[in-house]
Amino acid sequence: MDGTEKLYNYLTSELPNQVDFKDLYNFCFSLFCTLDILPEKLRSLKITTDVLALTVMKISKSKNIREYSNKSDWIEQIEGFLKFENNYPNHENARILLETN
């Protein structure tokens, strides 16, 4: 099982059924910055931009989130995360999102 599949399987089982774009965006941004929001067993995964974009794309489709529904859209979002000087993810909200299911 590759990193995308492991990450996707974990996240679809842990994320709430109702996730909006804003929360998914923050979650993706948080994962881009740190793997500390994941359980220890998943922190060794090699989560590249490609893996993260593909995983979040699949989640957005499964959660019926229409914004940024393909991989290239999410790659653009990931590349854009750090373009703004004061743009920081809310890691605590990302952790809470995993704990709400």
Side-chain angles (χ1 to χ4, degrees), residues 4 21 24-25 28 49-79 81:
T4 303
F21 172 75
L24 189 58
Y25 177 90
C28 182
T49 300
D50 200 54
V51 166
L52 185 56
L54 186 57
T55 302
V56 177
M57 177 209 69
K58 289 170 70 175
I59 290 169
S60 66
K61 285 184 178 183
S62 73
K63 303 290 185 185
N64 207 23
I65 297 171
R66 302 205 187 284
E67 297 96 341
Y68 306 104
S69 61
N70 65 53
K71 184 177 150 188
S72 63
D73 289 338
W74 280 103
I75 287 175
E76 283 181 32
Q77 291 303 304
I78 292 167
E79 290 172 351
F81 288 153

Side-chain angles (χ1 to χ4, degrees), residues 1-91:
M1 188 181 301
D2 72 350
T4 303
E5 194 173 343
K6 284 181 183 179
L7 185 61
Y8 175 76
N9 288 341
Y10 170 74
L11 293 177
T12 54
S13 70
E14 296 300 317
L15 289 172
N17 290 331
Q18 298 298 316
V19 174
D20 63 18
F21 172 75
K22 182 179 173 184
D23 286 335
L24 189 58
Y25 177 90
N26 179 67
F27 189 81
C28 182
F29 191 11
S30 295
L31 270 180
F32 178 75
C33 295
T34 182
L35 298 180
D36 289 348
I37 61 175
L38 295 175
E40 190 71 39
K41 66 182 180 183
L42 295 177
R43 291 182 190 168
S44 63
L45 290 176
K46 180 141 175 86
I47 300 179
T48 63
T49 300
D50 200 54
V51 166
L52 185 56
L54 186 57
T55 302
V56 177
M57 177 209 69
K58 289 170 70 175
I59 290 169
S60 66
K61 285 184 178 183
S62 73
K63 303 290 185 185
N64 207 23
I65 297 171
R66 302 205 187 284
E67 297 96 341
Y68 306 104
S69 61
N70 65 53
K71 184 177 150 188
S72 63
D73 289 338
W74 280 103
I75 287 175
E76 283 181 32
Q77 291 303 304
I78 292 167
E79 290 172 351
F81 288 153
L82 302 176
K83 286 184 180 178
F84 301 104
E85 215 171 280
N86 295 321
N87 194 18
Y88 302 101
N90 186 324
H91 298 306

